Amino acid sequence: MVKILFVCHGNICRSTMAQYVMEDLVRKAGLEDQFYIDSAATATDEIGNPVHHGTRRKLREMGVPCGEHRARQLTQRDYETFDWLIGMDEANLRDMRRMLGDDPQGKLHLLLDFTGRPGSIADPWYTGDFDATWRDVLEGCQGLLKKLRQN
């Protein structure tokens, strides 16, 4: 089983969008029994809060089911549990390294590294632009799934 954890600052916008998009892609590919997908935060700001209404609205608009995830913080146990820990931007990756220590198994990545345009996932918390975040997340998740299916 492939275990993927998506990580952003608060775990209510980008990482939850990635979680549900990836679950949808995996389900549509008939691979849901081969994956475990979750998301987490690097900060404590939103712990216990539900998926942001803008993320929920965009997922609904695109026909992607959105569950009842509640924000939680990344833990050391996550490094041991998950095969892939995927940050949304460089600040997330820096915080993940700070929280988890070294990355001896090479599990830490950025989502857009699996596309032809590496960089940061647009952060709708600051821009309010959930469309841009959707495009980035979808492209990143499609690239990640493609890579995993090739392995």
Side-chain angles (χ1 to χ4, degrees):
M1 177 166 290
V2 178
K3 298 175 186 167
I4 304 168
L5 183 70
F6 293 103
V7 180
C8 70
H9 180 82
N11 191 215
I12 61 169
C13 295
R14 296 176 295 170
S15 59
T16 53
M17 184 181 288
Q19 175 185 349
Y20 291 120
V21 166
M22 191 67 168
E23 286 177 353
D24 190 57
L25 292 173
V26 164
R27 185 173 33 260
K28 287 176 178 172
L31 302 171
E32 60 266 46
D33 60 335
Q34 297 175 35
F35 285 83
Y36 176 73
I37 303 163
D38 197 2
S39 61
T42 58
T44 59
D45 310 20
E46 301 289 345
I47 301 303
N49 288 337
V51 176
H52 189 281
H53 61 87
T55 295
R56 190 174 292 282
R57 183 175 52 246
K58 187 63 187 177
L59 291 171
R60 184 174 43 250
E61 175 187 324
M62 303 310 292
V64 174
C66 182
E68 296 303 318
H69 181 85
R70 295 285 179 167
R72 70 175 188 86
Q73 191 172 31
L74 177 70
T75 67
Q76 185 64 46
R77 172 170 239 139
D78 289 327
Y79 190 84
E80 300 158 14
T81 301
F82 289 90
D83 306 307
W84 298 84
L85 289 89
I86 311 292
M88 301 296 117
D89 62 32
E90 287 292 338
N92 301 151
L93 203 55
R94 182 181 60 246
D95 289 341
M96 291 162 68
R97 285 191 173 104
R98 178 183 49 77
M99 295 170 75
L100 300 171
D102 199 12
D103 180 22
Q105 297 176 40
K107 295 181 175 187
L108 305 183
H109 304 274
L110 290 175
L111 184 55
L112 285 179
D113 285 351
F114 301 100
T115 72
R117 55 177 190 92
S120 295
I121 299 290
D123 191 345
W125 180 259
Y126 299 104
T127 66
D129 187 352
F130 286 86
D131 294 333
T133 303
W134 166 262
R135 288 188 299 270
D136 287 349
V137 165
L138 180 60
E139 185 178 354
C141 287
Q142 288 170 331
L144 175 57
L145 184 57
K146 180 178 178 182
K147 177 178 181 53
L148 293 172
R149 290 184 84 173
Q150 290 171 345
N151 289 348

